[in-house]
Amino acid sequence: MTSTATLTPAAAADRTGVSIDTLRYYEREGLIGPIQRSVGGRREYTESDVFWIGLVTCFREAGLGIADLREFVAILRGEHSPQDRVVFLRERRAALEERVKALSRAMEVLDDKIAYYS
């Protein structure tokens, strides 16, 4: 038995707000993990895993696709410079900024239509 506390899949899912199926999917895609296993073969999530799950979830909510996430994980785990990481993140941030502007314009149109029909 290890001295570090671990979480069951259900507890990790509860802590991170994603389903157990999503946890398995992220692991299969190489976005998290490898997840350690108990002697009986059950997944045991660490605080580090919970952090990664949160990061992946945040990036997904920001609109990054699985391919983007795979690329980012490869940059983090590979022999890439910190500058490579910054370039990746800046590019994704710029795309997200454009998306926010488009959503803002769409909200303005909706607000105009709401005002018109009210």
Side-chain angles (χ1 to χ4, degrees):
M1 185 170 174
T2 63
S3 61
T4 305
T6 59
L7 299 170
T8 64
D14 187 53
R15 278 269 304 273
T16 59
V18 300
S19 70
I20 292 173
D21 287 339
T22 299
L23 293 177
R24 289 184 189 131
Y25 176 69
Y26 287 171
E27 184 180 4
R28 241 185 351 265
E29 293 297 322
L31 305 178
I32 62 170
I35 304 301
Q36 70 185 27
R37 302 283 182 134
S38 70
V39 174
R42 294 186 56 92
R43 288 175 177 85
E44 296 179 322
Y45 293 86
T46 64
E47 287 301 318
S48 177
D49 297 324
V50 169
F51 170 80
W52 272 98
I53 295 162
L55 186 63
V56 168
T57 301
C58 177
F59 283 1
R60 290 286 293 146
E61 290 172 352
L64 274 73
I66 296 300
D68 283 331
L69 291 168
R70 278 194 214 110
E71 181 181 349
F72 184 63
V73 169
I75 290 170
L76 289 178
R77 292 182 179 165
E79 293 186 21
H80 295 270
S81 72
Q83 187 58 31
D84 292 335
R85 297 170 188 162
V86 170
V87 167
F88 175 90
L89 293 170
R90 282 188 177 151
E91 288 172 354
R92 295 330 177 270
R93 187 183 189 290
L96 185 57
E97 217 168 59
E98 289 302 314
R99 197 166 137 226
V100 167
K101 288 177 187 176
L103 288 172
S104 182
R105 287 189 300 270
M107 288 175 60
E108 288 173 12
V109 170
L110 289 173
D111 288 344
D112 288 346
K113 293 302 174 194
I114 290 168
Y116 177 80
Y117 290 117
S118 292

